[in-house]
Amino acid sequence: MSEPLVSVVIPTLGRASLRDAIASARRQDTPTEVIVVNDSGAPLAAGLVADGVRVLETEGRTGAAHARNLGMRAAGGDLVAFLDDDDVWLPGHLARAVAELTAAPDADLYSCRGLVVYGPQRSRLEPVELVGDRTLAEYFFGRDVWLSRCRRVMTPTLVFRRSLADLPMDTGLRQSEDTWWLLTAERERGARLVQSANVGVVVHASPDRESGRRRDDVAWARRLESLVPGAGPAHLAAG
């Protein structure tokens, strides 16, 4: 059997780091098509995108959810993977994802740990605590969530089956749209995640990315409660 093709979707605002992100995707020992979605509202700098990479354009500053939706609709691979324009995959990331999803045909998504770099002298492996046999709802909002040590499913580690590419991210969200998408996939499609302890990506935690995590906790709790009963109070208790 031939190896599956992986469509790599990279939203970008035109950062110079996009060049390294693309290179890390093309160095994977798995067949890939790389789709860059330019959400900057301006042409990308000359030489920023390598030959053979598809570039799609949004209307400009539409947000990560809209850009990823555009990339997912254009994806032609058996699997789809997300990468951000300021992060890089480590060698073998996609090969491990393909192996895990091949070994677990009832699983729909793969994720792993990443090395999160917070500055020149601070970094750590995240998530500290893995999903294990729990559902995503239990992992994020179970009774013991307030005792947890860093529960995350990082978007640049996600690889999933093409059948989920028609499930759009909520463009009304400018933060946590990836978490909402995962919970919706689990609730509406019965999607199951397999998570590896391997480290597959280096994530740069820029100040604007970290500030983007701040949200209206009460509004977010209400939204969670509408999808997963009990998740709203659990989120507020964990906060």
Side-chain angles (χ1 to χ4, degrees), residues 36-77:
V36 168
V37 185
N38 180 20
D39 195 35
S40 69
L44 295 176
L48 193 56
V49 177
D51 291 342
V53 172
R54 294 176 64 188
V55 178
L56 307 178
E57 304 282 345
T58 71
E59 294 80 6
R61 300 287 174 168
T62 59
H66 182 272
R68 290 193 180 109
N69 288 344
L70 190 60
M72 284 193 287
R73 287 196 298 269

Side-chain angles (χ1 to χ4, degrees), residues 109-112 127 129-132 139 152-153 193-197:
L109 308 108
Y110 166 90
S111 73
C112 62
E129 186 177 343
L130 298 177
V131 173
Y139 176 66
R152 294 180 66 180
V153 176
L193 173 85
V194 290
Q195 190 180 41
S196 170

Side-chain angles (χ1 to χ4, degrees), residues 25-46:
R26 300 187 84 182
R27 282 195 298 265
Q28 298 294 307
D29 47 1
T30 298
T32 60
E33 65 164 353
V34 180
I35 302 171
V36 168
V37 185
N38 180 20
D39 195 35
S40 69
L44 295 176

Side-chain angles (χ1 to χ4, degrees), residues 182-213:
L182 286 169
L183 291 168
T184 302
E186 180 176 77
R187 181 65 178 269
E188 296 185 359
R189 301 288 183 88
R192 187 172 79 83
L193 173 85
V194 290
Q195 190 180 41
S196 170
N198 284 307
V199 179
V201 64
V202 178
V203 174
H204 294 92
S206 61
D208 56 338
R209 175 183 290 188
E210 291 307 299
S211 65
R213 296 185 187 281

Side-chain angles (χ1 to χ4, degrees), residues 119-219:
Q121 296 182 330
R122 182 181 168 226
S123 61
R124 73 169 183 172
L125 299 183
E126 297 183 14
V128 174
E129 186 177 343
L130 298 177
V131 173
D133 295 330
R134 291 169 289 192
T135 65
L136 286 167
E138 290 168 340
Y139 176 66
F140 287 126
F141 309 112
R143 292 181 180 180
D144 63 342
V145 66
W146 61 279
L147 293 171
S148 70
R149 297 173 61 224
C150 183
R151 299 184 188 184
R152 294 180 66 180
V153 176
M154 292 191 289
T155 304
T157 73
L158 279 174
V159 183
F160 53 94
R161 301 192 190 279
R162 181 70 180 78
S163 58
L164 286 180
D166 67 347
L167 181 67
M169 287 193 174
D170 188 335
T171 56
L173 284 171
R174 289 304 180 107
Q175 301 104 34
S176 302
E177 70 282 345
D178 45 1
T179 299
W180 183 255
W181 182 76
L182 286 169
L183 291 168
T184 302
E186 180 176 77
R187 181 65 178 269
E188 296 185 359
R189 301 288 183 88
R192 187 172 79 83
L193 173 85
V194 290
Q195 190 180 41
S196 170
N198 284 307
V199 179
V201 64
V202 178
V203 174
H204 294 92
S206 61
D208 56 338
R209 175 183 290 188
E210 291 307 299
S211 65
R213 296 185 187 281
R214 303 188 189 108
R215 55 184 172 244
D216 183 335
D217 278 350
V218 174

